[in-house]
């Protein structure tokens, strides 16, 4: 209940800044309570990270609260700033809204609690002349610099006075006057005045007004502003920022820019970003909201630059033509690709609709073909830039890249495909001279995973993108991805076990684990056909624990699917052997590898994966019996023994039922599963029966067989006695025929022999002409024998040829027949593989 309440009351707090943009002030949990200090009910928001109070706002009786979109509550505080609470759940928003309406005496069904008259910010200030008197700026003179600095610093805490000061600075052209004082102080080397000017301009930046930024960042003044910011009082000597911007930083025009406005905007954006990132203090030093307008200024400049370039079709066409031209020299091509990378980086600040238009424009101009050309070159810096561009495209639209790859596969060899070039770049990222993380390979692994993720694949007109692309990838590209793995696992141990190789194989295994989890048919066929799991488990012998864990994680993903297809593959390949060997080799060390392997065995036990449980116990329990610090292996063995006991009991029960109630075979079979789906224990039992048939077909009945048939003979005798009178009468009307001396008992113990229905022909194995002749009757031997079952090339309806002298000299004692009920249904049913007794006669 507490968790539900916590989720219901979870909110994000927003504050509207001067640019009418909502700033995120933090995430927390909202409540309403009486606050003694405020003498009334208040909204409280406590941070979910450290419990600090993000908001304490008294619910005023005349404040206009507005509910929007079912999960937003918006209102204005008296200090001239707007607040908003964005709720995670609608129920939480409704609860707080009811509290607000209760305090104000309003009906909760309304969406706004007060009638609001819209007014501009200037009108609000006009209504409060006493609260915000106009600010009179002192004369801009050297002697007044300290006083000016104090005034500017004093207004910063008050939003209203900040606004008034901004208006005064703009209206009086104060910035230009201050710049003139700067030139005077610098010429006079007046360090005290320069330090005061630094503080004054720092305060102007913290006023956070876009109109003032437009003035300061104009071509006329921007270098003077940079010059003022060189004289930081905390720095022992001035930092030469102007020299760097004018001399060191060079502007490369890779393609001539004919639009002068575009060129000026590029220069301005670079310089402003330099001021933001290098000169001004970091946001942690000042209020995090104080410089938001500066960030917005840079943001909108970048958007404007991207739009201008995008609209200039001639410029982009020229750029891509030079980029893919064979005659372009490497230095110029490098500049082109670096410019394109910067261009794509700027595009990340675009809104989704504008970004879609941007990438469609690049796609139409052949950006993916250009990336393909760059990846085919031997320049590491160009390749890195191309990969960054490729990442931007895939992150925005994986389908665009998949469509390109499928289209080009119709005309190009596998080695030249874009997706294979990307994989090769990932595989070859390892630098033998650098003992660092494979940053480029990790980036590309993420990109490839995005391309292989079925969640972002869309259906096309004819077939799904998932089916089409995955079929292509497993046919044309999977071998490129797994090549390093197969090359390194030829022997029983990894052939290369250095750090870079281990890292690369770890990334490949992470991708393969993703495929096992999200792909079904394709990865399953690949794992089996290439014995992929067997090769992966070789890496358990790596000296790098993280790689051994990656291999184990891959095995765990496969076992975790609980698919019998994979389980049979594991059992057939004896793939738990390397797991057990690694477990034994790890010894008593209590580490992550030990825990991960125990968890694997625990999963097999807990999920009762019967085939794997039997495989582990039957093959490896001797190696695992000594592990007593966990109960996993004891429980695994116990579960296996219980399973075997159940199988034996079931087999005995079925065998008893077959011999005791032969007439119920067909009826029992209706309520069973199809016997064609045989369990292992049934197959073993059938094999035993076949061996018995082979050994007893040409020999007298043994004591073992007599024991088996005692129950049957008892039943036969009882039936004979009960029907004796009736059958004698029938025999007097129709004299019986006796089997000749060569006939034998035809009790078929073969599991595969067909069992006749009650309607079988007289010559069938179950008819009286092929029946049992009791011992001692004329024409029969004293010891019954078992006749060989019909051979496959015998017709099931063919009857044995009887000699004409095989006529009974004594009346029959009796005849046993099976009932004919349900015969039509039973003819089409498959009978359980069990011994079938022949019909009896004398």
């Amino acid at each position: 209940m507490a968790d539900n309440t916590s989720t219901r009351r979870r909110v994000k707090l927003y504050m509207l800044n001067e640019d009418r943009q909502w700033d995120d002030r933090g995430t927390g949990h909202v409540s309403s309570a009486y606050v003694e200090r405020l003498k009334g009910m208040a909204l409280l928001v406590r941070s979910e990270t450290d419990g600090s109070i993000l908001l304490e706002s008294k619910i005023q009786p005349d404040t206009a609260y507005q509910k929007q979109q079912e999960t937003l509550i918006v209102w204005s505080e008296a200090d001239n700033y707007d607040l908003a609470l964005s709720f995670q759940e609608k129920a939480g928003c409704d609860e707080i809204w009811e509290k607000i309406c209760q305090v104000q005496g309003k009906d909760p069904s309304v969406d706004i609690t007060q009638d609001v008259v819209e007014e501009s910010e200037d009108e609000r200030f006009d209504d409060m002349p006493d609260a915000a008197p106009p600010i009179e700026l002192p004369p801009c003179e050297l002697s007044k610099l300290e006083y000016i600095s104090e005034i500017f610093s004093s207004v910063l805490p008050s939003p209203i006075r900040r606004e008034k000061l901004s208006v005064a600075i703009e209206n009086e052209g104060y910035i230009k006057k201050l710049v003139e004082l700067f030139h005077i102080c610098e010429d006079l080397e007046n360090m005290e005045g320069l330090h005061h000017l630094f503080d004054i301009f720092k305060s102007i930046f913290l006023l956070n007004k876009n109109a003032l930024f437009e003035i300061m960042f104009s071509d006329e003044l921007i270098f003077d502003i940079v010059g003022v910011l060189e004289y930081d009082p905390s720095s022992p000597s001035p930092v030469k920022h102007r020299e760097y911007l004018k001399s060191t930083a060079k502007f490369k025009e890779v393609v001539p820019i004919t639009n002068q406005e575009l060129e000026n905007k590029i220069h301005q954006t670079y310089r402003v970003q330099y001021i933001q990132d290098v000169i001004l203090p970091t946001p942690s030093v000042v209020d995090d909201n104080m410089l938001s307008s500066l960030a917005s200024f840079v943001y909108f400049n970048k958007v404007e630059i991207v739009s201008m370039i995008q609209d200039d079709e001639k410029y982009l066409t020229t750029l891509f033509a030079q980029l893919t031209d064979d005659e372009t020299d490497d230095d110029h091509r490098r500049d082109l690709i670096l410019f394109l990378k910067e261009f794509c980086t700027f595009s990340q600040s675009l809104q989704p609709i504008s970004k879609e238009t941007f990438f469609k424009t690049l796609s139409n101009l052949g950006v993916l073909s250009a990336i393909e050309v760059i990846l085919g070159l031997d320049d590491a810096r160009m390749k890195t830039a191309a990969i960054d561009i490729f990442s931007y495209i895939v992150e925005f639209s994986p389908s665009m890249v998949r469509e390109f790859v499928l289209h080009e596969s119709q005309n190009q060899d596998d080695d030249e495909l874009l997706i294979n070039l990307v994989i090769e770049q990932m595989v070859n990222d390892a630098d033998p001279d650098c003992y660092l993380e494979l940053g480029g390979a990790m980036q590309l692994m993420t990109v490839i995973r995005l391309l292989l993720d079925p969640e972002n694949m869309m259906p096309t007109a004819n077939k799904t993108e998932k089916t089409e692309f995955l079929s292509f990838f497993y046919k044309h590209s999977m071998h490129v991805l797994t090549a390093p793995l197969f090359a390194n696992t030829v022997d029983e141990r990894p052939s290369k076990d250095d750090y870079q190789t281990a890292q690369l194989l770890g990334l490949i295994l992470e991708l393969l684990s993703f495929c096992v989890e999200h792909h079904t048919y394709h990865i399953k066929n690949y794992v089996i056909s290439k014995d992929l799991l067997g090769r992966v488990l070789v890496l358990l012998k790596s000296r790098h624990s993280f790689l051994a864990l990656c291999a184990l994680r891959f095995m765990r993903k496969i076992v975790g699917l609980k698919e019998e297809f994979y389980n049979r593959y594991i059992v057939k390949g004896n793939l738990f052997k390397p797991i057990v060997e690694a477990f034994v080799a790890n010894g008593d060390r209590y580490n992550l590898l030990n825990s991960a392997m125990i968890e694997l065995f625990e999963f097999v036990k807990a999920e009762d994966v019967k085939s794997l449980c039997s495989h582990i116990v039957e093959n490896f329990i001797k190696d695992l019996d000594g592990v007593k610090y966990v109960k996993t292996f004891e429980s695994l063995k116990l579960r296996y023994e219980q399973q075997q006991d159940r199988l034996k009991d079931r087999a005995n029960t079925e065998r008893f039922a077959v011999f005791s109630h032969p007439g119920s075979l067909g009826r029992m079979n209706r309520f069973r599963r199809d016997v064609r789906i045989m369990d292992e224990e049934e197959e073993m039992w059938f094999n035993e029966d076949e061996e018995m048939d082979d050994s007893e077909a040409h020999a007298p009945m043994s004591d073992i067989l007599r024991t088996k048939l005692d129950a049957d003979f008892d039943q036969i005798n009882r039936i004979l006695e009960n029907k004796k009178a009736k059958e004698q009468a029938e025999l007097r009307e129709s004299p019986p025929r006796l089997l000749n001396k060569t006939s034998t008992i035809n009790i078929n113990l073969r599991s595969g022999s067909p069992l006749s229905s009650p309607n079988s022909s007289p010559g069938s194995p179950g008819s009286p002409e092929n029946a049992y002749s009791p011992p001692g009757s004329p024409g029969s031997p004293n010891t019954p024998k078992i006749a060989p079952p019909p051979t496959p090339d015998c017709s099931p309806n063919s009857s044995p040829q009887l000699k004409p002298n095989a006529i009974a000299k004594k009346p029959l004692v009796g005849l046993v027949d099976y009932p004919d009920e349900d015969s039509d249904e039973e003819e089409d049913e498959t009978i359980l593989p069990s011994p079938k007794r022949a019909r009896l006669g004398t």
Side-chain angles (χ1 to χ4, degrees), residues 76-82 124-125 128 157-160:
S76 297
E77 289 284 354
D79 288 339
N80 190 35
Y81 57 88
D82 294 346
R124 291 184 188 178
F125 292 131
M128 298 180 291
S158 171
I160 298 174

Side-chain angles (χ1 to χ4, degrees), residues 618-679:
E618 290 172 1
N619 294 279
F620 308 111
I621 197 62
K622 291 182 180 178
D623 299 314
L624 303 172
D625 247 348
V627 180
K628 302 297 182 184
Y629 54 86
V630 289
K631 300 293 183 183
T632 301
F633 303 109
E634 293 178 7
S635 302
L636 202 61
K637 183 178 179 181
L638 177 62
R639 176 153 295 191
Y640 169 78
E641 292 171 349
Q642 291 172 345
Q643 178 185 342
Q644 295 303 309
D645 291 341
R646 283 195 298 270
L647 293 177
K648 290 178 183 177
D649 292 344
R650 179 179 170 187
N652 292 337
T653 302
E654 290 178 354
R655 190 174 301 188
F656 176 77
V658 168
F659 282 118
S660 299
H661 306 287
S664 63
L665 273 174
R667 291 189 295 274
M668 289 170 57
N669 214 31
R670 289 194 204 99
F671 304 99
R672 309 177 82 100
R673 63 180 172 82
D674 190 344
V675 296
R676 286 172 295 185
I677 307 171
M678 296 186 295
D679 292 330

Side-chain angles (χ1 to χ4, degrees), residues 288-401:
D288 58 355
N289 191 41
M290 285 295 192
L291 295 174
S292 60
S293 291
L294 181 60
S296 297
F297 186 92
V298 174
Y299 165 80
F300 287 114
N301 264 20
K302 289 181 177 180
V303 171
E304 201 169 344
I305 290 170
V306 171
S307 300
M308 286 182 180
I309 296 177
Q310 187 176 333
D311 293 339
D312 191 344
E313 294 183 4
K314 183 179 178 181
Y315 184 88
L316 287 177
T317 303
T318 305
L319 186 146
F320 280 102
Q322 293 181 10
L323 193 59
T324 55
D325 190 352
D326 293 337
E327 296 182 0
T328 305
D329 64 85
D330 288 345
D331 291 337
H332 186 56
R333 197 191 309 273
R334 188 181 304 111
D335 291 337
L336 289 167
I337 194 68
L338 290 174
F339 171 80
L340 186 59
K341 175 195 168 184
E342 192 73 14
F343 186 40
C344 291
T345 304
F346 276 20
S347 73
Q348 298 307 295
S349 56
L350 295 174
Q351 295 298 317
I353 296 177
S354 303
K355 193 183 290 187
E356 182 177 3
T357 305
F358 171 79
F359 281 114
K360 281 185 178 178
T361 301
L362 292 188
S363 178
N364 294 335
L365 290 168
V367 64
L368 292 174
S369 298
I371 292 173
E372 203 168 49
V373 170
I374 299 299
L375 291 179
L377 301 177
D378 205 17
D379 189 299
R381 194 176 176 195
M382 278 197 279
K383 284 185 176 181
T384 303
I387 289 300
D388 288 338
I389 298 170
F390 185 71
S391 300
Y392 288 138
I393 298 172
V394 172
E395 286 171 8
F396 179 75
S397 179
S399 294
M400 182 190 298
V401 178

Side-chain angles (χ1 to χ4, degrees), residues 171-190:
N171 291 340
E172 296 185 22
Y174 213 70
I175 292 178
K176 287 187 178 181
K177 295 177 182 179
L178 291 171
V179 168
E180 290 174 3
L181 285 182
F182 164 70
H183 289 304
I184 295 172
C185 290
E186 194 169 36
D187 291 340
L188 299 174
E189 297 184 357
N190 183 352

Side-chain angles (χ1 to χ4, degrees), residues 549 552 556 591-601:
L549 285 167
L552 189 61
R556 177 65 175 81
N591 52 21
L592 191 56
L593 187 63
N594 173 273
S595 299
M597 286 189 282
I598 289 177
E599 191 277 334
L600 175 62
F601 290 112

